[in-house]
Amino acid sequence: MDLQVKGKVTQILEAQSGEGKNGPWKKQDFILETQGKYGKKICITHWGDKIDQFNVQEGEELTVFIDIQSREYKGNWYTDVKAWKVERGEEGAPSQEAPFNDQEPTIDMSDMDHDVPF
């Protein structure tokens, strides 16, 4: 399932790289803050060529199309929020080709009411 989230880039973290069983990899995280009464900060990762392709800059208003995936490692679960498409501002100038389907669910984080202590 593909989702999208809108917000402002508040921080770009340092790129990371390494060598895996499938060869070299590179990723970079950025923090997107949603708007609304209780804005949320979301750490989003983009991988490989998408780092240069998206060219995300601090202070930009973006719509980020994401995949959410969890995996288990030694009894602990880890969740990734991965960007696969980015649109900028009101013009919606995409930085990647259109998605596989035309129906994409949207998460409006500003309307969520959480009782979580963090």
Side-chain angles (χ1 to χ4, degrees):
M1 175 185 331
D2 296 317
L3 307 168
Q4 60 180 292
V5 62
K6 296 179 183 182
K8 183 176 182 177
V9 178
T10 59
Q11 185 178 4
I12 298 174
L13 304 177
E14 190 170 327
Q16 300 174 1
S17 61
E19 189 77 30
K21 64 180 179 180
N22 297 327
W25 57 268
K26 183 169 96 170
K27 73 173 189 169
Q28 186 171 36
D29 296 331
F30 62 94
I31 308 303
L32 190 77
E33 186 169 0
T34 63
Q35 304 300 313
K37 187 175 178 181
Y38 301 107
K40 308 290 186 241
K41 291 184 180 181
I42 304 169
C43 182
I44 300 174
T45 304
H46 49 298
W47 290 84
D49 295 341
K50 288 186 176 23
I51 296 169
D52 294 328
Q53 181 183 1
F54 295 162
N55 192 27
V56 172
Q57 302 293 316
E58 202 167 307
E60 284 188 302
E61 294 283 338
L62 302 176
T63 299
V64 182
F65 295 78
I66 59 173
D67 287 325
I68 300 174
Q69 179 181 6
S70 296
R71 65 191 183 293
E72 185 267 338
Y73 179 72
K74 295 185 178 181
N76 294 311
W77 283 89
Y78 301 90
T79 301
D80 290 324
V81 180
K82 298 178 184 178
W84 60 270
K85 178 180 167 185
V86 170
E87 291 181 349
R88 290 178 160 76
E90 294 299 317
E91 303 86 39
S95 63
Q96 184 178 352
E97 294 299 317
F100 297 112
N101 61 36
D102 293 326
Q103 296 179 341
E104 300 148 36
T106 301
I107 297 177
D108 184 358
M109 300 293 284
S110 63
D111 292 339
M112 292 187 173
D113 185 25
H114 296 285
D115 292 331
V116 181
F118 53 89

